Amino acid sequence: MRTKVAIIGAGPAGLLLGQLLHAYGIDNVILERQTPDYVLGRIRAGLLEEGTVELLDEVGAGSRAHREGLVHEGVELAFAGSRHRIDLKALTGKTMMIYGQTEVTLDLMNAREAAGLTSIYEAADVEPHDFDTDHPRVSYVKDGVACELTCDFIAGCDGFHGVSRASVKPSAIKTFERIYPFGWLGILSETPPVSHELIYSNHARGFALCTMRSMRRSRHYVQCSLDDHVDQWPDERFWDELKRRLDQKAVDSLITGPSIEKSIAPLRSFVAEPMRFGRMFLAGDAAHIVPPTGAKGLNLAASDVRFLSHALREYYDEKSSAGIDDYSRRALSRAWKAVRFSWWMTSILHKFPDQGEIGARIQVAELDYLVHSRAATTSLAENYVGLPY
Ligand code: RFL
Ligand code: PHB
């Protein structure tokens, strides 16, 4: 089989890239290791920047998000027993949208199917080859049969544990990594949200976040130990711990119920440089990971594929390599700022094992400064709603 762009991975990055390329008349094939149901079952991101929603609109996959998504004009920070609202709309003119990654993925999958584009799910042993030549190809096994996809370019959209980045020779890539000494335990429940906006809480027992998927479905997270296992967290323990980390008003309006999903995610900052290796590009989590505190991962995947799709359009329509030559620089420039912001949000909101009492007091001082200084609040707000691209 032959295509212009072979996309590895059918997560948000791969699916959105596929639709953008299709809109620009560039044919592409997606190879995905898992089944569609498996991909749709991963409960992850919930908060979209306006720029991400605009990209969904551009590919004709945004209408359900506009109907069902919840537009948030502000966000709340809780610390030292009280809560403070940050008016994102007033400070930046922008809003955020609650619309789950599972819904984004479903809408993009449906758009891809409606456009009749080829996606090969359950492709085993996917491997990119010869991307340092003019004839890259991707080998894979489907239903026990060895297959090959020849192409002009390979887009590695296969997430942090994917094969694309791993195929680059070590001397050609530099990686940067910080692993945080805690994780997030998240639960999904069929209960109304505590508040109509998100609450990020700094507490002596550890971080907590109250978010949602709809006005009937809540998503809550508490900071947990890296050694913890979900079995050690029956629902009752989770709700008790969450209550201890929230202010009284939030506790009074918290409605608890059985969890319908529960998982633990480790927190990590990671960047691979560069994001282009000859005729292979990395995009999304394949190139960078941020801790979820700033809600930036999926939004960065979206900005990467916007840069990449424009660069490829320039290559095919204008016979110019300028865009693809500049892709890595542009994408990394935006990614590093999100890495910085996510690290900073993580550092002011979590309990670190070595912080001591002085560290806890400095965090509260920083949060207090933050909510009372217009300059500091504006800085948080403009990063939170997403830097321009
Ligand atoms: P994905 O979603 O990991 O998709 C990669 C796809 O590649 C496939 N794959 C392969 N296919 C073929 N061959 C191989 N060898 C392959 N290896 C892997 C995988 O099966 C998969 O389908 O990466 P992508 O597309 O770059 O998307 C990134 C986002 O998923 C991620 O950044 C976000 O979920 C991060 N994130 C958040 N981002 C936000 O923007 N806002 C949020 O509110 C937010 N909250 C979160 C989050 C991530 C979390 N966790 C669990 C890490 C909350 C959490 C708890
Ligand atoms: C979510 O809704 O799952 C979510 C929202 C904001 C974050 C992280 C996760 O910072």
Side-chain angles (χ1 to χ4, degrees), residues 44 46-47 184 198 200 209 211-213 219 221 292-295:
R44 287 180 163 189
L47 201 56
W184 276 20
L198 271 58
Y200 289 81
L209 170 61
T211 171
M212 65 200 75
R213 289 293 173 273
R219 179 81 167 150
Y221 299 96
T293 327

Side-chain angles (χ1 to χ4, degrees), residues 8-22:
I8 306 179
L15 287 167
L16 184 57
L17 178 64
Q19 292 315 107
L20 286 164
L21 293 178
H22 173 66

Side-chain angles (χ1 to χ4, degrees), residues 9 12-13 32-33 42 44-46 101 158 285 295-299:
E32 164 63 50
R33 185 171 52 181
R42 287 188 298 226
R44 287 180 163 189
Q101 179 163 336
D158 45 353
D285 278 13
K296 288 284 156 263
L298 171 56
N299 293 298

Side-chain angles (χ1 to χ4, degrees), residues 121-166:
Y121 283 90
E122 296 179 87
D125 301 335
V126 173
E127 211 181 319
H129 304 276
D130 303 335
F131 45 85
D132 49 354
T133 74
D134 286 342
H135 306 284
R137 59 197 173 87
V138 185
S139 61
Y140 61 98
V141 174
K142 177 68 187 167
D143 298 329
V145 180
C147 306
E148 191 170 87
L149 180 59
T150 56
C151 54
D152 297 337
F153 296 101
I154 299 170
C157 300
D158 45 353
F160 183 66
H161 300 287
V163 66
S164 305
R165 193 183 69 250

